[in-house]
Amino acid sequence: MRTHESEEMYLETILLLSKQRGAVRSVDIVGQLDYAKSSVSRAVNLLKSKGYIEIDDNGDIFLTAEGRRKAEETYEKHRVFTEMFVKFGADRALAEENACRVEHVISDDLFEIVKKYFNDRK
């Protein structure tokens, strides 16, 4: 992983897979993201070294408290931007695709402003 946004993407993917399946393994991430096993393996090892995930003896991946916090923040951005883009008239697929891009580059300060503006007008 080269960038902060990749970290967030992996953490968000682990969060969503854990909500769907309970236990998450590297192969699940490979299937979800359609990345090479070697890329996912490197990313998982990096996330583990940074303290964002733990891996048990069965190979199941779990978010730490800090990993969950970062994943939830990223997913919140995804949800807000998706709904905002849909409300602006985008179809859901286009909204989801672009929310994935925006969620990784917007600053936390600007996101809070956007979220407040959008929520005040719901």
Side-chain angles (χ1 to χ4, degrees):
M1 284 187 303
R2 287 184 225 146
T3 65
H4 175 69
E5 61 197 58
S6 295
E7 260 178 27
E8 291 175 344
M9 180 194 54
Y10 276 98
L11 292 170
E12 181 183 20
T13 299
I14 293 167
L15 174 72
L16 295 176
L17 286 171
S18 69
K19 287 181 178 189
Q20 293 170 0
R21 304 172 184 219
V24 177
R25 304 188 80 172
S26 289
V27 68
D28 301 321
I29 299 168
V30 168
Q32 183 69 30
L33 297 176
D34 197 28
Y35 286 180
K37 290 179 188 178
S38 59
S39 296
V40 171
S41 179
R42 279 191 305 274
V44 165
N45 287 328
L46 182 58
L47 292 173
K48 183 178 178 189
S49 73
K50 289 186 170 194
Y52 295 137
I53 62 170
E54 294 177 351
I55 304 171
D56 71 11
D57 293 338
N58 296 321
D60 293 334
I61 300 169
F62 300 93
L63 293 166
T64 62
E66 179 64 11
R68 179 167 293 283
R69 183 191 66 74
K70 286 182 68 98
E72 292 282 0
E73 286 175 359
T74 302
Y75 186 53
E76 178 187 28
K77 290 175 184 177
H78 183 93
R79 290 189 325 265
V80 168
F81 282 115
T82 298
E83 291 310 311
M84 189 174 65
F85 296 152
V86 167
K87 190 163 185 112
F88 291 163
D91 68 51
R92 182 140 309 260
L94 181 62
E96 291 270 350
E97 177 185 331
N98 283 277
C100 282
R101 291 181 183 145
V102 174
E103 72 193 30
H104 299 295
V105 296
I106 192 167
S107 72
D108 292 341
D109 292 339
L110 184 55
F111 174 67
E112 289 303 317
I113 293 167
V114 169
K115 182 172 74 169
K116 182 180 181 329
Y117 180 87
F118 181 66
N119 287 336
D120 287 350
R121 281 150 184 77
K122 276 188 174 180

